[in-house]
Structures are given as C-alpha cells and as structure tokens.
Amino acid sequence: MQIRDLPYADPGVPDVRSGTRFLLWLGRQQLAGQVKCLLWGLLHHLGIAGLPLGVGLAVQAVVDHDGGRLALAGVLLVVLGAAIAAGDVMLHRTAVTNWITAAARVQQLLSRKTAELGSVLTRRVAAGEVVAVSTGDVERIGWFVEALSRFAAAAVTLVIICVGLVVYQPALGVVVAAGIPVLALAVLPLLPRATRRADVQRAKAGRATELASDTVAGLRVLRGIGGEELFLGRYRAASQEVRRAAVHSARMWALIAAIQVVLPGLLLIAVVAYGTRLALDGRIEVGELVTVYSAVALTHHALRNFEEIAQAYSFSRPSAKRAARVLALARTTTTVPEVRKPAGPGAGGDLYDPLTGLRAPAGVFTAVVCGDPDVAGRLADRLGGHPAEAEAGHTSVLLGGVPLDELPLADARGVVLVQDKEPVLLSGTLRELLDVPASGAVRAEDALAAARCDDVLDALAQASADTGGDPMRTRITERGRSLSGGQRQRLALARSLVADPEVLVLDEPTSSVDAHTEAAVAAGIAELRRTRTTVVLASSPLLLDRADRVVLVDEGQAVAVGTHRELLAGEPRYRAVVTRETDEELATAGGPVGELEALEGESA
C-alpha cells in the first residue's frame, strides 16, 4: 500500500480485544510495508556496521605499506557509503509510508464506526475521548507501526555484528557479544515504571481535553451565568496536572536515555583497554583493534532503536487501548421475536416498538408526547435502530415486522432516518449541505419551502457577494455558527426532508423557532410527507394539532392514542404535559380547546 493508493478499499476487521492485540493486528495488516522497511533498514545498518571493516583494512594496509589493499579498502568504503545513503533514504521513505498508511487505516476504522453508530457514539464514549482518539492517538499508533520494522532491522544488525566479530576476532568478539545484549536489555526493568507514568500522563491529558471541549461547547451558557472564570480555573488546574505528569514521565525517559549512552561508553572503554593489552602482546593486529573499536562505537546507532521502540510502545499502547475501546462498540444486539411478518427494506409497513408499545402506522403523521426530553431522546434512538446499552436484550424496533437490527446497516439507514434535537451542519455550501443520499422524489426547493427557510435563504444571499446572490452557493461556516439556532434547525429539517426516507423520526424539530414559524413548519412537514411515515417527538400544541394521530408515552409505555384535541379534552396526563397547567387554570382559560384556539390565534 502506497500513500497514493489511500484510502483503503476495506480497512479490515480489527482485533479489539486489547490495545496490544490491536497494535499487533495493525502491524500484520501492513506486513508488506514492514518487510520493505526491514530490508532497507538492514541495508542501512549493515552499511554502517561494515564501515569499521573498511577502516580497519585501510589502517592495516597503511601499517603494512600495502597499496593494493589500501585501494581495495577505499572501494569498499565507497560501496558502503552508497549503501548507507540509499538505505537511509529508502528506510525513511518506507517508514513514513508505514506511519501514514497505519494512521489512515485507523482513521478509516474510526470513521466507519462513527458512521455506524451516529450520535449514539458520544452517548457511549465521552466526546473528548473521541477527539483524542481521532487526533493524537492515531499519530502515536502510527509511530509504533513505523518504529517496529526499524527496530527489527536494528536487532538483526546487532546479531550479525556480534556473530561477525566473534568470527573476525574471537578474543574481542566474545566481549562484545556478551556486552551487547546487556546494553539492549538494561532498560527493561525501567520500562514498566515509565509506561505507568506515560499512562498517567495520557489519562490526565484526556481529561483536560474533555474539560476543554465541554467548556468550549458551553461557552455561551457559561458567559450567561458568569462561570467562565470558574471553568477556566478548572482547566488551568487540569493543565498543570498534565504538565507535572509530563515532567514526571520525562524524567524516567531521560534516565533510560542516559543509560543508553553510559553503558555503550563503558563497553567501549572495556574493549579498548582489553584490546590494547592484546595488541601490545601481539595477539591481534592494530587494524583488527580499530575494526572492533569502530564496530562497538557504531552499535550506538542501532541501540537507539531499542529506546525508541520502548518509548513508542509505552505511548501508543494507551492510545491503542482507547482506539480499541471505541472500535469495539457495536449496534446493540436485541432479542428477535420468533414469529414476524416477512418484509424487507422499502416494503413499507408500520413502525412498532415492542418495548414501549408505540406504533406508527405506515404513511401516517404520528406525534409522540413523552414529557421527559431524555426519554424522548432514547426513544428516538430506539426508533432509529440504536437502543441504549441499558435496553440490551429487549426486542428490536420492527418495521413491517422485520427487526431493524437484523437489516444491514445501509438498508436500515435507508428506510429510517432520525434527526436529533441538536442536528449538526457541516461546513460547505448550502447545495453541498442538501446533497445527501435521497430518493429523488423531493426537490431541494420544496424541502426548503416546507421547512420555511425563506429568511435563511435571504440571509445567505446577502452574506456573500461573490456568489451572485445565489444562496445555494453561499458557504455555511463550521457547525452553522453564522446562523441562529432556529435557522440551523430548519436547514437540518430541510436536509432530512430532501433525503425522503420511508420513515422520518424528528426529535423536537421546532424547539428553536417562534410560534408563527412553528405552525408553518408543521404544516409544511404534513404536506410534503403526506404519503410517508413520519414520527415527531414534541410537546408543542401547534405541531401536535397537525399530526394525524398522537401517542402519549408515560413512564416508558404508550398509554393513550388519539388526535391532539381528543387527548387534550380527555386525558389529564396528556394535558399536564402539553399545557403545563393545572385543571383549575385550564378551566379559567376556557378549557383545553380554548387554550388551543388561543395559541392558533397567536400563530396567525
């Protein structure tokens, strides 16, 4: 896999049983790149390891006054220099390729999981953790994959050096062969402590990131209540904890780095002292001593990879653990009824929730009143095929008798679309915003008209002069921050109407608009989707009066069904939720129907 071939056609099915298993799986998926990096690394390291041989031959040739051997040593050094240059360039190229492609694979896996779970993802995992995994953690995971093959090349090179020196000069080679493993493994006792400190640092950094994202998301509210300084103080304290943890971790890594410098120096001193004595005794040649000395000195280059792989693993393992935790999330499995009516995607049929008893007949505008916004949100998730973890084991929502969680994800998403109460608008032009997978039966103009977006279009047309007054070409800023809450809500509604799914579930689609606009939007939804199944979770009388049927859900069960006026007149629990008034107050105001007429008069 080359960078130009990204993205992957299929990033694969990861092993998410643990962070370590996920790292090993990722390395196996890039076996070809790892082998290339290993081979180029061997060329580079062995070229460096061969330099002492050329230098030793040259020194001995000078001592022996042998011009032919000196020329041979010069040719050997040139060849080794070319090998080092080519190996270094290609090693860096293949290593960076492994890094980027590994990071891209993780990004694709995370994107696929995000698309699979939708808004349920941030209800199961903190938003700050999702941000940390998709940014810094991805790079650290890629770092380990990149360092793994370079470490393997360095380890093989050290083995070859030890064996070669034992064969070349047994007396000194045995000393080197005994000392190199000690140098490579000397830091192992320190790694668990370094890893724990790195884990603490990452955990504190993750909490600080979560606190920062929550603070930014609620900045407008914080300013309204004067809580900026309070949360700023909390973030300042959290960042100082991260700094102290980072310094505490860096001290251990500094000690490891120092050991990696001191121990090779001690081995070098031992080799020189022992080799000098052997040379004075005439047991070895001067050139041999130079060769062994140079080989030991250059092992430091390969030994640095041992420190790097230890550090890369220590930093990437917590990242891989977080990534594996996110990737392990799945659509909640629910029990399936033994008897069901055979049907398939697009075959139509009622939407039925066995857990609450809610039924939305096909082609009918059904409104659902819950009273508790959290209950309404969970119900919307269930209707979209994403029940909460606490509801696992309950029967899945049925569409035409078929459990939604039995359908392939693409099919389930094609027939049921859920719009959250706080929908997200991606940056781009309005035309791009409305360019979504759709049936093609609803034009963008009709959807915008049904959602009553006339003022939004006017505002977009005036916002950018370079579009020639075309609001469809005007760019919408990130998350639609340049628009008001009501404008964002109506544009999101228009996007859902353009998609024209078989079943559309709307959670409080008009909570941020005024009464007049709300009544118009309710009429637009009813008109545009008069042949489609629509479920609206709301408590607004203006919207409820437009529904064909209204269902009251109380304490998790559907307890009453009828029209808005019928329930308002005959169901006290419904009246308490919708009007938020006591019976005495309603009687004073002229009764529930009078209340409704008063509201309709205001909207007119």
Side-chain angles (χ1 to χ4, degrees):
M1 170 64 70
Q2 298 295 320
I3 296 177
R4 63 175 175 269
D5 299 324
L6 294 174
Y8 292 95
D10 180 11
V13 180
D15 186 345
V16 295
R17 288 176 290 177
S18 68
T20 302
R21 290 178 182 271
F22 178 65
L23 289 174
L24 293 177
W25 175 85
L26 200 59
R28 290 196 302 269
Q29 297 305 303
Q30 301 193 201
L31 188 58
Q34 296 285 353
V35 171
K36 289 180 182 179
C37 193
L38 173 63
L39 295 177
W40 287 116
L42 286 175
L43 179 64
H44 174 63
H45 287 298
L46 290 177
I48 294 176
L51 289 177
L53 179 61
V55 173
L57 288 176
V59 171
Q60 193 62 43
V62 172
V63 173
D64 297 339
H65 303 287
D66 189 340
R69 290 173 60 191
L70 182 61
L72 179 61
V75 172
L76 178 60
L77 290 174
V78 170
V79 173
L80 291 173
I84 293 171
D88 194 18
V89 171
M90 296 306 298
L91 173 62
H92 179 74
R93 179 185 178 91
T94 54
V96 171
T97 299
N98 285 341
W99 187 334
I100 294 176
T101 52
R105 186 186 297 274
V106 179
Q107 286 280 23
Q108 279 189 250
L109 291 171
L110 292 171
S111 299
R112 185 173 67 183
K113 184 59 62 176
T114 302
E116 176 185 342
L117 297 178
S119 62
V120 178
L121 175 62
T122 53
R123 298 183 184 179
R124 299 184 183 179
V125 181
E129 183 169 353
V130 176
V131 173
V133 170
S134 59
T135 53
D137 285 342
V138 168
E139 291 193 9
R140 295 187 191 97
I141 293 171
W143 176 28
F144 173 79
V145 175
E146 177 263 342
L148 184 61
S149 51
R150 290 193 290 110
F151 161 74
V156 173
T157 299
L158 289 177
V159 172
I160 294 175
I161 290 176
C162 291
V163 173
L165 289 180
V166 169
V167 174
Y168 177 73
Q169 178 44 252
L172 285 176
V174 171
V175 176
V176 175
I180 290 295
V182 175
L183 300 184
L185 303 177
V187 298
L188 283 182
L190 301 177
L191 288 180
R193 183 177 298 179
T195 301
R196 286 194 297 270
R197 293 187 180 185
D199 289 348
V200 171
Q201 177 192 352
R202 298 303 167 196
K204 290 182 180 295
R207 286 195 292 269
T209 302
E210 291 179 19
L211 180 60
S213 62
D214 291 342
T215 302
V216 172
L219 189 58
R220 180 176 298 178
V221 177
L222 292 176
R223 285 174 176 170
I225 63 176
E228 308 102 307
E229 290 300 324
L230 174 61
F231 276 80
L232 179 60
R234 291 180 181 177
Y235 180 72
R236 185 182 293 113
S239 64
Q240 288 302 311
E241 289 184 10
V242 174
R243 180 188 63 81
R244 286 190 290 270
V247 172
H248 194 54
S249 177
R251 287 173 180 168
M252 184 57 65
W253 289 112
L255 177 60
I256 292 175
I259 292 175
Q260 292 288 336
V261 173
V262 171
L263 292 185
L266 295 177
L267 177 62
L268 195 60
I269 293 173
V271 168
V272 171
Y274 184 52
T276 301
R277 181 179 300 175
L278 294 177
L280 292 176
D281 293 342
R283 297 170 58 184
I284 65 172
E285 300 290 341
V286 175
E288 292 176 336
L289 176 59
V290 171
T291 299
V292 176
Y293 168 82
S294 301
V296 175
L298 292 176
T299 56
H300 178 67
H301 183 76
L303 285 171
R304 287 188 304 176
N305 288 275
F306 283 76
E307 177 191 350
E308 183 187 11
I309 193 64
Q311 191 170 10
Y313 177 73
S314 298
F315 278 77
S316 63
R317 188 179 63 84
S319 298
K321 184 178 180 180
R322 281 194 291 267
R325 184 164 58 247
V326 173
L327 294 175
L329 299 175
R331 298 172 68 189
T332 304
T333 302
T334 58
T335 58
V336 179
E338 295 181 359
V339 181
R340 61 182 185 269
K341 181 176 68 177
D350 297 351
L351 184 68
Y352 175 65
D353 178 19
L355 181 62
T356 61
L358 170 66
R359 181 180 298 277
V364 174
F365 183 178
T366 302
V368 181
V369 176
C370 292
D372 185 347
D374 293 334
V375 173
R378 290 193 295 269
L379 179 57
D381 288 337
R382 276 190 57 80
L383 296 178
H386 295 288
E389 295 289 349
E391 298 170 355
H394 291 289
T395 303
S396 169
V397 170
L398 308 178
L399 178 61
V402 176
L404 283 182
D405 58 6
E406 274 198 348
L407 297 177
L409 183 62
D411 293 340
R413 291 251 173 101
V415 294
V416 180
L417 173 64
V418 177
Q419 177 178 303
D420 293 335
K421 66 178 65 178
E422 296 180 0
V424 175
L425 301 183
L426 302 179
S427 60
T429 65
L430 180 56
R431 179 174 286 107
E432 292 170 342
L433 175 69
L434 300 178
D435 184 15
V436 295
S439 66
V442 177
R443 300 183 306 162
E445 295 79 4
D446 296 334
L448 290 168
R452 299 303 186 263
C453 294
D454 296 344
D455 62 317
V456 185
L457 297 178
D458 293 340
L460 291 177
Q462 298 173 10
S464 180
D466 58 356
T467 63
D470 183 3
M472 301 297 291
R473 295 169 53 195
T474 303
R475 292 194 64 81
I476 299 173
T477 58
E478 181 185 1
R479 301 179 69 90
R481 289 194 174 94
S482 59
L483 304 172
S484 68
Q487 291 174 329
R488 289 195 299 269
Q489 198 170 53
R490 282 176 285 153
L491 283 182
L493 175 60
R495 179 178 58 187
S496 299
L497 294 175
V498 166
D500 190 37
E502 182 178 331
V503 178
L504 177 60
V505 180
L506 303 172
D507 188 3
E508 294 287 358
T510 58
S511 59
S512 299
V513 300
D514 57 68
H516 174 75
T517 305
E518 184 177 36
V521 169
I525 295 174
E527 174 64 23
L528 194 63
R529 291 191 56 82
R530 59 181 178 274
T531 61
R532 292 290 205 177
T533 305
T534 305
V535 180
V536 178
L537 294 101
S539 58
S540 168
L542 294 174
L543 196 151
L544 296 172
D545 193 48
R546 285 287 183 176
D548 299 321
R549 68 196 300 268
V550 180
V551 180
L552 172 64
V553 175
D554 184 46
E555 296 183 354
Q557 293 295 317
V559 295
V561 180
T563 65
H564 170 60
R565 295 172 185 260
E566 291 171 351
L567 293 176
L568 198 61
E571 178 54 62
R573 290 172 294 183
Y574 179 83
R575 185 165 58 247
V577 173
V578 173
T579 65
R580 296 180 177 84
E581 292 182 345
T582 64
D583 292 338
E584 292 78 6
E585 291 173 328
L586 285 172
T588 303
V593 177
E595 173 85 2
L596 175 64
E597 291 173 349
L599 288 172
E600 289 177 337
E602 292 178 4
S603 66

